[in-house]
Amino acid sequence: MIKDKKIEKREFHIKGMHCASCALTIENNLEKLSDIKKADVNFATEKLYVEYDRDNYNDEKIIKSVKGAGYEASVVDDENNSDFDHKLEEKNSETAKERNLFVISFILSLPVFVLAMILKDMSFESKVIQAVLAGIVQFYIGFRFYRGFYYAAKNKSANMDTLIAIGTSAAFFYSLATTFLIEGEVFFETSSFLITFVVFGKWLEAKAKGRTGEAIKKLLGLQAKSARVIRNGKEIDIAISEVVVGDIVIVRPGEKIPVDGKIIEGHSSIDESMVTGESIPAEKKVGDLVIGATINKTGSFQFQAEKVGKDTMLSQIIKFVQDAQGSKAPIQKFADMISGYFVPTVVAIAMITFITWYFLLSVPFVTALLAFTAVLVIACPCALGLATPTAIMVGTGKGAENGILIKGGEPLEIAGRIQAIVFDKTGTITKGKPEVIDIINYEYSKEELLQIISSVEDKSEHPLAESIVRKAKKDKIKFLTVNDFQAIAGHGVRAVVSLKSGQIDFFIGTEKLMDDYKINITDEIKKEKEKMEIEGKTVMIVARKDRIVGLIAVADVIKESSKEAIEKLQQMGIKTMMITGDNHRTAEAVGKQAGIENILAEVLPENKAGEIKKLQEGNLKVAMVGDGINDAPALAQADLGIAMGAGTDIAIETGGIVLVKNDLRDVTRAITLSKMTMNKIKQNMFWALFYNSIGIPIAAFGLLRAEYAGLAMALSSVSVVLNSLLLKNKKF
């Protein structure tokens, strides 16, 4: 019997990458290991994600493989997001290091430029000074390129380091030869300024890339730093990381709620806008849930901690965003494929350029050498490698800031190509809780009738009874004394209610209940009841022992935003449908209110996924929007699963996009965000490829000095990152 192998995931930080080719080298090395099923390296986030067979796996093997490729790896520790804080410090330190290297390189290169280009001093002494200064730049500032070149060659690959090392070495060592061995012109300023401009680009790139992670920084900034808990009968202040499940936490007015839990004493209004987007504070009482990082406004209360550390809603949101920003969109495969062939192709073009100039066109060796160098350094796969991940980082971060959690590059890309969306009814289009819609009174006033009905239904455990009692409490109606309550399964209830006029027997329920007690229903009342039922309402008849006194209609009403959201989707040319297990009459009534004509009613939970599959067989890209356990198979079957944030854990886990605010308008916003992000990715890829398509020929024809080619190459990467950052200012 073959043993089932369990595949698990692991995340690592990678240091030392310079371009997309570096990422490919690491991936290729890791995929040679027998226990690694998949390896993904994200150049922009400097993260490695591996899927492995846990039976034969250890972290050291991964770290050793990465080190063998010339890079450093360390395991990500996501407990309490401490790793992100550490990584942020590292990023800031790395940016400062790049800045310092650029400053040193520029200071050393400037005298070389002045001697060679302004004073045009070609004396032996001048050449020696230039050689010394340029040598420091070449082998101290530029050491990283030689190191990268060595490991690339060792791994039988080529990357940006290969291009820079060959290009600058050609200019430097030729100049060194003409200084000490043969007569000729020197080009120390070319090699030194080329390295200076590349390091300048790396500094700008590091600064720009740092801004792509601002969404996570903002989310982390929402966390409370400490909590006031009761331990051993005393109130003490502790760090948020020390709170454990079961702790009793005290929250005073104006304080942030530290973790997730349930109120056990007191009440208050809480600003939950960071989660729900709702600006009006939510009223909370004993038994209600509170969310960490939301802000207590008025009262004081105590709550019991239920989720702490990485299990809180905020930590889960941060984790969603981090995972999404580290993932690859399918379009990235195109960039990876090009990057894999890019550097060897550029080296070949550079060689052809040199041979053509020197051997075929018989130009001076120096001219051919400079053209060769310019071709090498103007071409770099960095811009192409940054095209996709930087846009995904900004796009998913922007989504998270607006309550739309996108779990990765794949759902982000697919969202923009959706052609049909299937909505679950209950809890998705509707509120998921029945509400009292109509009260038809024939004898008592509406308030008196509701008082009678709610007093009786307060004794019932039926969900419809709960909605009636909820309505009465909202209207601050005082309950009457009720005796001899009796629930009649499937038909309704009966009870004796104490009124001013005496003890009266009331019946609330179906026509069958009325028939059983021989209570006459007039044709007029039947028509009134049928009219409301056609509108999708559940109607209960209210009667005394000898006559009907009223009707009460209950329905699961649609959310205020549902109709607007569906109208927008239809305007976008997307086909909308609703799927439900309810009967056709109720489903069609809800569909009519929401503006959906295509209704799939009386569909059993296990058949929902089958209905999605039928649509897919019609060559449609289908999204499913749902919130319940019974929606999970359909969410998984759909090309894109969109889960409502208030839904079950399994629905949220299955969905590729989670709508934290439970607002269907966010479906349209998610699709719009997807299209905006994909447009940025395509723009980035176009300009990265266009830049190289134009830049390489210009350099090959000798129309661009090598050092300016280096500057152009550096700025191309920065421009891609800055173009992605423009997404931050877009409205959607």
Side-chain angles (χ1 to χ4, degrees), residues 188-214:
F188 289 119
E189 82 285 353
T190 296
S191 62
S192 61
F193 260 106
L194 207 158
I195 289 173
T196 300
F197 287 143
V198 172
V199 174
F200 175 63
K202 286 294 171 189
W203 172 40
L204 293 181
E205 187 182 304
K207 284 183 69 177
K209 279 164 68 177
R211 289 172 59 199
T212 61
E214 283 179 0

Side-chain angles (χ1 to χ4, degrees), residues 495-513:
V496 175
V497 181
S498 298
L499 298 176
K500 289 179 182 178
S501 55
Q503 302 284 311
I504 298 175
D505 212 355
F506 281 96
F507 303 84
I508 305 168
T510 63
E511 287 188 35
K512 182 70 170 62
L513 182 69

